[in-house]
Amino acid sequence: MTNRWILGISQILVLIYCLHSTSLQAARLDAYMVVRWEGRALEEPNLEALDAIRKKFPDVPAIHLINPAYFKDNPQIASNLEQIKKRIGDADEVGLYIVPSASLVKAADIVAIRKPTFWGYGEELCTNDCGLQVPATVYSRNDITKLFLAAHNSLREAGFTDAKTFAVHGWIAPAGIAEIAQGLGYANDLTGIDIALVKEQLKEYPLADWLKAAPLPASTAAVSAWIQAGGVLEFNNDEEVLKRFDQFFARDHARQSLFLLSLSQENAYMSRSRLVKSIEGMKKKAEAGNDTLVFNTMINGKNGRPVAEKVSISRKL
């Protein structure tokens, strides 16, 4: 009888240990997907690629960072607005993508600067998308304030009135950007990037040196600055993303970084396969580790939808 009692207690203790061990090993893995609407023309293959991604992963919300140049001094304003709204899901978030585009520079009443560019020290060669190759850091603090305000107002005029997240094109934020953002009600800065994601691909260009020299993003009491540490799909394939996935979640410490997959709308057709394989691989790894992979937005989709007239979400492949 005593032996049976001891055996029963032992079995209970083993069960408790196993449950406790499982609870320690299992974890919630938070990830993010950003779609950058940088300001170039909206082309059907890229829009269809976004539709396909949405259909493939209806459970993955997106953070849409939008350059309001689509809605400013543009003959395609109505079409641009309709096409972009169609790609914004109910759980998605809309944020501001700050680019010194010609129309926004004009709206800000500042003088356009055309050099240096991310790719060289000569003047930018452009036609309809001037400003996209020029870093915002070449502008003065006063001009950046005006540019930020012009972009913010243009996004609101398009119906996106509750943006809380922003990023600066080129992964380098001008000094003082957090204070400007705070004054306009923003809470999250997604500008910064782990240079390891792009240093090899950009090593021949000025941008690589600027990224190496750039200070870490600065947070304020109201604005949290984050570093992108997942993958930029124009530069990183799915094997690289999954390797970084393992490394990122193996570390257990307070982070200023997010495991974030970033996709340019202008390159969605070319990057679609990489993104799909990356998300599928991440889900398999989480399942194998008995972990829960959760794709989030910075505000959990609460303020992402535009207040302008409703437009249906495209579901076609």
Side-chain angles (χ1 to χ4, degrees), residues 99-310:
V99 183
S101 296
S103 59
L104 296 176
V105 167
K106 179 180 177 181
D109 194 25
I110 60 179
V111 177
I113 300 175
R114 292 284 174 257
K115 63 179 182 181
T117 71
F118 297 122
W119 321 117
Y121 291 94
E123 189 164 321
E124 179 185 31
L125 301 176
C126 60
T127 52
N128 298 323
D129 55 2
C130 294
L132 279 169
Q133 301 176 55
V134 178
T137 49
V138 301
Y139 288 88
S140 69
R141 168 69 180 271
N142 187 53
D143 283 353
I144 284 295
T145 302
K146 292 179 180 179
L147 180 67
F148 201 143
L149 181 60
H152 171 78
N153 288 338
S154 296
L155 191 66
R156 289 180 60 86
E157 289 166 5
F160 304 102
T161 59
D162 291 308
K164 301 297 180 187
T165 301
F166 76 95
V168 179
H169 184 51
W171 305 308
I172 304 175
I177 197 79
E179 289 76 11
I180 302 169
Q182 180 174 322
L184 294 174
Y186 289 86
N188 298 290
D189 176 2
L190 297 183
T191 300
I193 190 172
D194 181 347
I195 190 175
L197 293 177
V198 295
K199 66 179 182 180
E200 284 302 312
Q201 299 89 334
L202 298 176
K203 61 185 178 182
E204 298 179 2
Y205 303 105
L207 177 56
D209 293 329
W210 300 340
L211 286 170
K212 292 175 185 177
L216 288 175
S219 299
T220 67
V223 179
S224 297
W226 302 94
I227 298 172
Q228 304 174 40
V232 180
L233 277 305
E234 299 91 87
F235 297 109
N236 305 121
N237 61 35
D238 52 290
E239 292 181 357
E240 294 174 294
V241 170
L242 295 177
K243 180 179 179 180
R244 293 183 66 84
F245 180 80
D246 289 336
Q247 295 170 342
F248 185 87
F249 289 108
R251 301 194 302 269
D252 184 19
H253 56 79
R255 300 188 183 99
Q256 190 187 0
S257 55
L258 302 173
F259 197 85
L260 186 153
L261 303 179
S262 180
L263 173 74
S264 169
Q265 176 278 141
E266 288 82 348
N267 201 51
Y269 175 78
M270 298 297 293
S271 302
R272 171 188 167 188
S273 177
R274 287 182 171 186
L275 179 64
V276 168
K277 290 178 181 178
S278 294
I279 295 177
E280 288 178 338
M282 290 165 61
K283 288 186 173 185
K284 288 179 181 178
K285 284 179 175 290
E287 184 178 358
N290 196 32
D291 297 320
T292 301
L293 176 65
V294 180
F295 276 87
N296 285 317
T297 62
M298 303 306 293
I299 56 171
N300 296 320
K302 295 178 181 178
N303 301 309
R305 297 292 290 165
V307 298
E309 67 273 9
K310 294 181 180 179

